[in-house]
Amino acid sequence: MTVAERKLMAETWLAASKGKLKTIIHVGAIALRDAQELAAHAESNGADAIAAIPSYYFAPRTPVELATSLQSVAAAAPNTPFLYYHNPAITHIQMDMSVFLTIAKTHIPTLCGMKYTGSDLSGASRCLLDHGLEFEIMWGPEDVLLGALALGMKSFIGSCYSFAAPIANRIIEAAEAGDFEAARSEQKKLKKLKDLAERFGDPVSTFKALTVIVGVPVGPTRAPLRALNAKEMQRFQSTLQEEGCLKWLTESD
C-alpha cells in the first residue's frame, strides 16, 4: 500500500472503532521517513498506540542499532504508546528480544511492549520473565496459542482471529478454567485450519478468503500476491467442508 492509502485506512479504522475498540496502527515501512510520517499521522488522528517493524532492506544488525532506528519512528508520535513488531520471518532480523527491550527502554520513552511473532516460545518467555511487569508482550503465532497461555501470556494478535476468533476464545476460556483437554481440542482445530489454508496458497490470500467465508468482504490481495480464483475458492471451500472445518467457522462462543 502507498503511504496515502495507509493513511486513509488508518483514518477509516479509527473512525469506525472510536469508542468501541482500542486501535493500534502499524506504521513500519522500508523508508524511515515514511514510517515517521505514518506515525505522526496516526497520533494526529487519535490512535491508541502505534506499532512498527524496522526498515529491513538495510537492516539493523544489533539491539542498539534496532533501538536507535525505532527511536526516530516513535519520536514522530511522542504522545502515543509504541510497540515493536518482532516478525523475523519477514524482516530476517533475529536477535535476543529481551536484550533489545532492555536497551530500547532507554531510547524510546513511549515503549510499552511488543508483538512477538517469532517462532520460539523460549525467546518470548524470556521477554515475559524479564520485562512482563513493565511491558505488554503480545503473542502472535496462533498455532501455539495454548503454549503461550501456559507461559503466562495475556495478549494475542494474529491473522487467524479475523475468521477464527471464537475458537481462540474457547482455547483461552478453557485454559483459564484449567480444562486443558478442551483447550487442546480447540487448539487442534485452529492448527488444522491454519495448516489447511497454507496448503492452498499464500497465507495472506487464503486467510482473506476465510475472512470472506465468515461474512467479512475484505477484498482480494494485490500483486505480487495472487488471490484465489473462483475455481480455487470453490475447491478450498469444498476441502474445508470435507475436513469438517467449515462448521468451526460458524460456531459461536
Side-chain angles (χ1 to χ4, degrees):
M1 296 177 73
T2 66
V3 169
E5 288 172 327
R6 291 178 67 178
K7 285 182 176 180
L8 178 59
M9 183 175 68
E11 291 165 10
T12 303
W13 268 102
L14 289 167
S17 63
K18 189 173 182 179
K20 303 173 186 176
L21 299 170
K22 296 290 186 182
T23 305
I24 304 169
I25 301 296
H26 181 260
V27 301
I30 296 294
L32 185 57
R33 289 181 182 177
D34 286 350
Q36 292 169 322
E37 183 178 343
L38 289 165
H41 175 267
E43 178 167 282
S44 69
N45 281 271
D48 294 292
I50 59 172
I53 56 171
S55 177
Y56 55 86
Y57 188 82
F58 294 109
R61 296 167 296 176
T62 68
V64 172
E65 290 180 2
L66 180 57
T68 301
S69 67
L70 293 169
Q71 180 183 28
S72 63
V73 178
N79 301 304
T80 303
F82 176 85
L83 294 114
Y84 175 56
Y85 181 9
H86 177 54
N87 193 343
I90 298 297
T91 65
H92 304 289
I93 295 173
Q94 185 67 270
M95 58 185 70
D96 189 319
M97 284 292 105
S98 179
V99 173
F100 162 73
L101 286 173
T102 298
I103 294 167
K105 66 183 179 181
T106 68
H107 288 66
I108 306 170
T110 53
L111 183 67
C112 65
M114 72 162 53
K115 179 190 175 186
Y116 199 106
T117 308
S119 59
D120 59 319
L121 277 166
S122 177
S125 177
R126 190 177 306 114
C127 290
L128 192 65
L129 290 170
D130 293 346
H131 303 284
L133 295 178
E134 186 175 7
F135 297 124
E136 191 72 27
I137 310 300
M138 302 180 177
W139 179 251
E142 306 91 337
D143 45 1
V144 285
L145 171 59
L146 183 55
L149 281 163
L151 289 172
M153 299 285 182
K154 301 292 185 183
S155 301
F156 309 94
I157 302 176
S159 301
C160 290
Y161 305 143
S162 297
F163 54 84
I167 300 175
N169 285 336
R170 289 194 292 271
I171 296 170
I172 294 169
E173 289 163 5
E176 290 177 343
D179 187 351
F180 285 94
E181 183 176 350
R184 283 191 292 270
S185 176
E186 295 297 327
Q187 179 69 86
K188 288 176 183 177
K189 293 178 183 177
L190 191 53
K191 172 66 171 170
K192 186 172 182 177
L193 267 172
K194 187 173 181 180
D195 288 351
L196 187 60
E198 291 177 352
R199 273 172 41 198
F200 274 80
D202 179 88
V204 176
S205 301
T206 54
F207 288 0
K208 272 180 169 278
L210 283 164
T211 306
V212 170
I213 288 170
V214 300
V216 183
V218 291
T221 51
R222 292 180 179 180
L225 301 180
R226 186 180 66 82
L228 300 184
N229 60 38
K231 185 175 181 180
E232 290 168 332
M233 186 68 169
Q234 184 178 24
R235 186 161 56 90
F236 185 34
Q237 287 189 264
S238 296
T239 304
L240 288 168
Q241 181 70 47
E242 292 165 6
E243 295 287 336
C245 300
L246 208 54
K247 63 180 180 181
W248 299 338
L249 299 175
T250 57
E251 290 174 346
S252 59
D253 289 330

